[in-house]
């Protein structure tokens, strides 16, 4: 049994049970340096997958590299899985005459049978199995054997549900959102809006309808939308969702809950084994009390202890940092990770904050000079118009979030090392990711159709690139190549890599106007009444479609509308 002292020591210094960071040969070190240099150079769009009559027909919510980067798995609102493979034998010359250095073709299409949008798709290690999580509350597992990504004719190989589906899991009672794989072809974790984290073992089949599902690893009283673990410390995982805190759990402390196995309801506090919380000291401007949320989280696969999550901004934590007790945190409101009013930013930084915290907070602004001629006319509004709104709600925004009564309120809180800002995260559920051979960069999408890349070491914006016509939700870096796959509301997948010449899709030349516009949108936010109205309109449209379908002699169940905004 672990005592509180044991748990504290585990998080102050690296656990001795984790495998050491890998050592590399001289050639491997050279390749990693080249990869780091490439990502630090000018990136641009090098390919678009789909959009030419082939590809997805709905939002692409899921991207993942598989088989050591040989395959790219994509899925989304059309409930199809597409397996893309780089094919050097195809023509490298594009329609505009440019050479395509990353030619991908779709060689396998799987019709999953999901009735609602797919939010995540992952290939299980050491296998050709693909697991999907969808809005119909189901987890499905598919396997098409060695044919995954390989077509003898070069044409798309299409598989229906009966041909490819191995297992349908109905353990969750809410929309399933994310899957994380483990070092096994049979084990994986899932998270859903029912607040549960479940471990699935394909070696032990069961019937969900008969109550044969095992007890969840975690049960929280709020919706969950993200889960992450590191291969260096797979016994630790982080979950986040409709809460101001991300929660870190350690499976080494997990035990059996006999009451649940006997069918007796168990108190929510006793079902979980939470060892740390990751939080902020106050809400951001425009963020309403009770509506704090975390959309994406990622643990660093390089060092195993750093955690990045996205809410009003992207925050960087470390599981090795010493948490602050409630009394210490309540006495230091001036060290809030949320930035002060822009008008008084310079004064507050110099007069209230220690030097180390000044460096952290100053990371909102990139260390670059921008030509004002490229700014949009709409961004020239006077800051005085914004200042009145900020001042009117400043008292509420500065209120510590720890005063809110939440589950695991006695668990120590770790506060962020760094804050990365500039993007806008309101409309959709956006992931966050590390990029680079040693996770030197942090990346996240934005509501304006761009995605941002920050340097982790100093918080400066490295690049802003247009990745979608509407919203960027997913960013996945290739494990070995300087190649980044991006998707969002569009039906296509965009690939970015280093290029020669002036980047066409870079927005660094007007980054200040982009950041200013995103900051204004974030402060304004999306009010509850607007959200309720959007839901009413959505349900009205659904009912109207159902009635029209019934009048035409069709099924009463109409095709569901795309719900990208509410994913």
């Amino acid at each position: 049994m672990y005592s509180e002292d044991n748990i504290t020591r585990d998080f102050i210094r690296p656990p001795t049970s984790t495998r050491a960071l890998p050592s590399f040969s001289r050639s491997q070190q050279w390749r990693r340096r080249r990869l780091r240099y490439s990502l630090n150079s000018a990136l641009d769009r090098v390919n678009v997958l789909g959009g030419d009559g082939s590809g997805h027909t709905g939002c692409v919510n899921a991207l993942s590299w598989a088989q050591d980067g040989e395959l790219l798995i994509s899925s989304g609102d059309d409930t199809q899985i597409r397996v893309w493979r780089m094919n050097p034998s195809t023509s490298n010359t594009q329609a505009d005459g440019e050479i395509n250095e990353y030619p991908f073709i779709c060689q396998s299409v799987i019709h999953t049978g999901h009735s609602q949008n797919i939010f995540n798709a992952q290939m299980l290690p050491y296998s050709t199995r693909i697991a999907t999580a969808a809005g119909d509350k189901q987890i499905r597992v598919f396997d098409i054997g060695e044919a995954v990504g390989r077509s003898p004719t070069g044409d798309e190989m299409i598989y229906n549900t009966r041909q490819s589906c191995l297992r349908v899991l109905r353990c969750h009672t809410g929309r399933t959102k994310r899957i994380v794989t483990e070092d096994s072809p049979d084990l994986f974790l899932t998270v859903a809006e029912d607040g549960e984290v479940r471990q699935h073992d394909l070696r032990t089949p069961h019937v969900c309808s008969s109550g044969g599902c095992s007890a969840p690893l975690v049960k929280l009283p709020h919706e969950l939308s993200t889960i992450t673990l590191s291969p260096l410390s797979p016994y630790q995982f982080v979950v986040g969702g409709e809460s101001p805190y991300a929660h870190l759990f350690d499976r080494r402390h997990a035990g059996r809950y006999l009451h649940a196995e006997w069918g007796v309801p168990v108190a929510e506090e006793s079902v979980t084994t939470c060892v740390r919380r990751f939080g902020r000291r106050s809400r951001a401007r425009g963020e309403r009390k009770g509506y704090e949320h975390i959309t994406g989280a990622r643990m660093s696969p390089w060092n195993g202890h750093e955690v990045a999550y996205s809410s009003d901004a992207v925050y960087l934590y470390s599981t090795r940092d010493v948490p602050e007790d409630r009394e210490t945190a309540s006495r230091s409101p001036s060290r809030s990770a949320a930035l002060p009013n822009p008008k008084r930013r310079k004064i507050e930084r110099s007069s209230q904050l220690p030097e180390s915290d000044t460096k952290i907070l100053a990371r909102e602004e990139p260390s670059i000079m921008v030509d004002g001629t490229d700014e949009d006319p709409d961004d020239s509004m006077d800051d005085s118009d914004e200042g009145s709104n900020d001042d009117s709600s400043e008292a509420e925004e500065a209120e510590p979030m720890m005063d809110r009564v939440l589950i695991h309120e006695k668990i120590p809180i770790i506060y962020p090392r760094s804050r990365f800002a500039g993007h806008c995260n309101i409309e959709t559920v956006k992931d966050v990711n590390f990029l680079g051979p040693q996770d030197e960069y942090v990346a996240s999408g934005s509501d304006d159709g761009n995605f941002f890349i920050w340097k982790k070491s100093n918080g400066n914006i490295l690049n802003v690139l247009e990745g979608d016509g509407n919203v960027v939700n997913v960013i996945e870096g290739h494990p070995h190549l300087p190649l980044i796959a991006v998707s969002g509301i569009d039906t296509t997948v965009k690939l970015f890599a280093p290029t020669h010449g002036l980047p066409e899709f870079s927005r660094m030349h007007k980054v200040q106007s982009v950041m200013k516009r995103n900051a204004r949108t974030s402060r304004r936010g999306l009010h509850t009444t607007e959200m309720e109205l959007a839901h009413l309109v959505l349900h009205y449209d659904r009912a109207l479609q159902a009635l029209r379908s019934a009048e035409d002699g069709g099924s009463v169940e109409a095709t569901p509308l795309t719900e990208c905004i509410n994913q």
Side-chain angles (χ1 to χ4, degrees):
M1 181 65 67
Y2 274 76
S3 66
E4 180 64 28
D5 292 339
N6 295 136
I7 296 175
T8 302
R9 285 197 296 269
D10 281 342
F11 289 90
I12 292 178
R13 61 170 181 259
T16 57
S17 59
T18 59
R19 62 185 175 91
L21 293 177
S23 58
F24 299 96
S25 64
R26 182 170 299 180
S27 61
Q28 289 175 319
Q29 291 175 355
W30 180 82
R31 285 196 297 269
R32 297 179 78 85
R33 283 197 298 268
R34 288 292 302 270
L35 176 57
R36 185 185 308 112
Y37 173 79
S38 299
L39 291 176
N40 201 29
S41 60
L43 300 178
D44 203 9
R45 186 183 298 178
V46 294
N47 202 351
V48 177
L49 308 184
D52 54 356
S54 63
H56 290 284
T57 58
C59 307
V60 182
N61 308 318
L63 288 177
S64 60
W65 295 100
Q67 295 187 356
D68 203 29
E70 291 187 13
L71 305 177
L72 178 63
I73 311 297
S74 65
S75 191
D77 290 2
D78 59 6
T79 69
Q80 295 181 0
I81 298 173
R82 290 187 170 266
V83 182
W84 308 84
R85 177 186 292 273
M86 188 182 298
N87 189 359
S89 64
T90 59
S91 174
N92 286 338
T93 305
Q94 303 181 82
D96 56 4
E98 295 292 331
I99 300 298
N100 184 2
E101 299 180 1
Y102 299 96
F104 277 77
I105 59 173
C106 180
Q107 293 192 337
S108 298
V109 180
I110 304 174
H111 295 276
T112 64
H114 280 293
S115 61
Q116 293 188 30
N117 308 351
I118 294 177
F119 298 125
N120 204 209
Q122 299 284 340
M123 181 170 282
L124 304 183
Y126 318 116
S127 74
T128 54
R129 299 170 178 172
I130 301 175
T132 57
D136 57 8
K137 308 176 185 179
Q138 297 180 6
I139 302 293
R140 295 195 171 209
V141 182
F142 305 87
D143 194 348
I144 51 179
E146 295 302 321
V148 171
R150 298 182 183 276
S151 171
T153 63
D155 298 328
E156 292 181 354
M157 299 178 65
I158 301 177
Y159 299 87
N160 59 37
T161 307
R162 184 180 297 274
Q163 291 173 314
S164 57
C165 188
L166 291 179
R167 194 77 57 86
V168 178
L169 302 172
R170 299 180 176 87
C171 306
H172 286 288
T173 58
R175 299 197 305 171
T176 57
K177 304 305 287 285
R178 292 293 182 268
I179 297 169
V180 290
T181 61
E182 303 199 53
D183 194 30
S184 166
D186 300 301
L187 296 174
F188 59 94
L189 302 181
T190 60
V191 70
E193 290 181 351
D194 56 10
E196 295 180 352
V197 176
R198 289 185 171 272
Q199 183 182 46
H200 305 276
D201 190 340
L202 299 180
R203 298 168 297 185
T204 57
H206 66 277
V207 180
C208 299
S209 58
S210 63
C213 303
S214 59
L217 293 180
V218 168
K219 173 66 176 177
L220 293 173
H222 57 264
E223 294 182 0
L224 295 176
S225 57
T226 184
I227 181 172
T228 179
L229 60 78
S230 169
L232 294 181
S233 52
Y235 46 81
Q236 298 175 1
F237 61 88
V238 176
V239 296
E242 298 300 315
S243 168
Y245 299 101
H247 294 81
L248 173 67
F249 294 88
D250 194 322
R251 284 188 280 180
R252 295 175 299 179
H253 308 153
R256 295 179 63 192
Y257 300 99
L258 297 180
H259 287 82
E261 295 176 13
W262 295 338
V264 179
V266 182
E268 290 173 339
E269 293 259 7
S270 64
V271 178
T272 58
T273 313
C274 182
V275 291
R276 290 291 183 269
R277 287 185 293 168
F278 302 110
R280 301 168 287 151
R281 291 183 175 85
S282 64
R283 292 183 297 277
R285 291 186 302 275
E287 188 176 17
R288 299 181 59 188
K289 183 177 181 180
Y291 291 90
E292 306 92 346
H293 65 279
I294 297 168
T295 62
R298 193 68 59 107
M299 291 189 74
S300 169
W302 167 253
N303 57 42
H305 68 88
E306 288 185 322
V307 181
Y309 79 55
S310 181
S311 56
D312 66 297
V314 175
Y315 295 88
L316 181 68
Y317 301 83
S318 173
T319 60
R320 298 177 184 174
D321 286 348
V322 179
E324 296 183 18
D325 56 54
R326 295 170 62 89
E327 294 183 1
T328 302
S330 63
R331 289 196 301 264
S332 57
S334 61
R335 297 180 58 207
S336 168
L339 288 171
N341 189 304
K343 290 182 177 181
R344 302 188 299 274
R345 184 176 298 149
K346 294 182 179 179
I347 299 175
E348 294 190 33
R349 283 178 182 167
S350 59
S351 62
Q352 296 184 7
L353 300 177
E355 181 179 357
S356 59
D357 292 318
T358 303
K359 293 179 181 178
I360 292 177
L361 296 186
R363 290 176 179 174
E364 185 189 29
E365 299 178 354
S367 58
I368 56 175
M369 298 299 294
V370 182
D371 186 358
T373 58
D374 288 328
E375 294 192 3
D376 295 339
D378 294 338
D379 293 323
S380 60
M381 64 179 295
D382 187 3
D383 285 342
S384 61
D385 295 334
E386 303 176 17
S388 58
N389 295 332
D390 292 340
D391 294 338
S392 63
S393 58
E394 187 173 355
E396 178 184 351
E397 290 155 1
E399 181 183 354
M401 292 194 303
M402 66 181 65
D403 290 344
R404 182 182 173 190
V405 178
L406 297 165
I407 192 170
H408 300 305
E409 61 178 349
K410 296 181 181 179
I411 299 298
I413 302 173
I414 294 178
Y415 291 101
R417 291 182 167 187
S418 306
R419 180 180 189 267
F420 309 94
H423 70 313
C424 182
N425 183 16
I426 294 177
E427 294 186 357
T428 58
V429 176
K430 299 176 186 63
D431 281 337
V432 64
N433 213 337
F434 291 98
L435 298 177
Q438 296 181 4
D439 294 342
E440 298 92 342
Y441 312 106
V442 177
S444 186
S446 179
D447 289 342
D448 59 359
N450 299 315
F451 68 98
F452 286 65
I453 303 176
W454 297 270
K455 289 184 178 180
K456 188 177 69 176
S457 60
N458 56 21
N460 292 338
I461 293 180
L462 176 70
N463 220 329
V464 179
L465 296 153
E466 181 186 324
D468 193 271
N470 296 277
V471 178
V472 173
N473 291 327
V474 187
I475 303 167
E476 289 291 335
H478 192 278
H480 306 299
L481 299 174
L483 183 64
I484 302 172
V486 177
S487 70
I489 302 299
D490 290 349
T491 61
T492 57
V493 179
K494 281 83 170 180
L495 300 179
F496 289 81
T499 57
H500 301 290
L502 186 64
E504 179 182 356
F505 292 91
S506 174
R507 297 296 174 260
M508 285 299 289
H509 61 284
K510 56 177 183 179
V511 63
Q512 296 290 1
S513 62
V514 169
M515 292 174 59
K516 188 184 299 183
R517 183 169 58 249
N518 285 339
R520 188 166 61 245
T521 303
S522 298
R523 284 194 296 270
R524 186 162 52 244
L526 189 62
H527 295 291
T528 309
T529 54
E530 296 172 344
M531 295 177 66
E532 292 174 349
L533 180 60
H535 282 289
L536 288 174
V537 172
L538 176 64
H539 291 304
Y540 173 78
D541 287 341
R542 279 182 172 176
L544 190 60
Q545 280 194 358
L547 290 174
R548 289 173 178 171
S549 177
E551 291 175 356
D552 294 338
S555 172
V556 176
E557 295 183 0
T559 303
L561 299 177
T562 300
E563 295 185 46
C564 293
I565 300 302
N566 189 33
Q567 69 168 330

